[in-house]
Amino acid sequence: MVETPRAVRRVILPLSVAAVALALLSACASGAAPSPTPSDSSSATATATSTATPTSTATPTSTAASPDIPDGEGACHDDELGYSLESRPDDSGAGQFYWNLVFTNNGSQPCTLEGNPTVVMVNAETGQPAGNPADPDFVQDSGTVMLPVGGSAYSLLHLTEAGAHDCPIVPVSNLLVNPPHSDGTPAEVGTPNAIEGCDSDVTIFSAGSLTPQPATP
């Protein structure tokens, strides 16, 4: 066996120690971090991918009351109206005559009327409707009529004598009247004077559309 000289051993020993220390330092510097356990990994994934659920917000419902209809823009109700008939002797003659059918606002606020009333003659002997309703006559200057409290609107009734027609003749002293666009119980309005009507499908009169003033025949 060949003996290594002592001087050589002194050089080799420090070099070996230094090499071992350097190897340990390299291993620590390059070593990977410990892998997370399965539970750690799933927890991290859940945290990364979770999304906040939006909170449902109810749509607010308006509780404001509907605005009141301005005065003069609400249609007149049947029970707010009064009815009357006015004769027009200066416009009558030659087998025909005229009446004003008057609608008066007896309510507590202004209201409106528009169109033609429904008018039917009444058989004075039976109290039943007689003949056809009045034909609508569309007056040129008619339209929506505003009735202030106590104010009136007018429909021009144009009547012909029943004797000029080939029909069963009956006495008439009342008319049944409905305002335009109303299907309520008609009002019974007395005539200015008794007349004769046709108790058949013959129509002997017309009712003009409502106007703010009496219309001219």
Side-chain angles (χ1 to χ4, degrees):
M1 177 176 180
V2 179
E3 182 178 358
T4 303
R6 180 177 299 177
V8 175
R9 288 200 304 270
R10 288 177 180 174
V11 173
I12 292 175
L13 183 58
L15 289 175
S16 299
V17 173
V20 172
L22 181 61
L24 289 175
L25 289 173
S26 298
C28 290
S30 62
S35 299
T37 61
S39 60
D40 291 337
S41 176
S42 62
S43 175
T45 302
T47 301
T49 60
S50 63
T51 303
T53 302
T55 302
S56 175
T57 303
T59 302
T61 302
S62 174
T63 58
S66 299
D68 293 334
I69 297 174
D71 287 349
E73 294 190 5
C76 299
H77 297 158
D78 294 14
D79 58 0
E80 297 174 337
L81 295 171
Y83 309 86
S84 61
L85 283 164
E86 300 173 346
S87 63
R88 297 180 59 156
D90 293 343
D91 298 316
S92 302
Q96 58 185 343
F97 54 100
Y98 296 89
W99 290 336
N100 288 328
L101 175 56
V102 185
F103 295 77
T104 302
N105 179 11
N106 293 331
S108 60
Q109 61 183 2
C111 61
T112 60
L113 289 174
E114 180 180 5
N116 297 71
T118 301
V119 185
V120 181
M121 293 184 177
V122 178
N123 185 333
E125 295 177 342
T126 65
Q128 298 300 310
N132 288 336
D135 286 334
D137 180 17
F138 300 98
V139 180
Q140 185 174 1
D141 59 351
S142 62
T144 301
V145 181
M146 181 188 296
L147 279 68
V149 176
S152 298
Y154 302 83
S155 171
L156 181 64
L157 302 187
H158 178 200
L159 305 98
T160 58
E161 292 182 353
H165 303 274
D166 183 15
C167 67
I169 295 176
V170 296
V172 173
S173 58
N174 291 283
L175 302 180
L176 296 176
V177 177
N178 275 108
H181 315 298
S182 169
D183 56 1
T185 302
E188 192 161 337
V189 185
T191 63
N193 52 277
I195 63 170
E196 292 179 338
C198 285
D199 196 9
S200 67
D201 60 358
V202 176
T203 304
I204 66 170
F205 70 134
S206 63
S209 45
L210 289 164
T211 56
Q213 301 294 332
T216 300

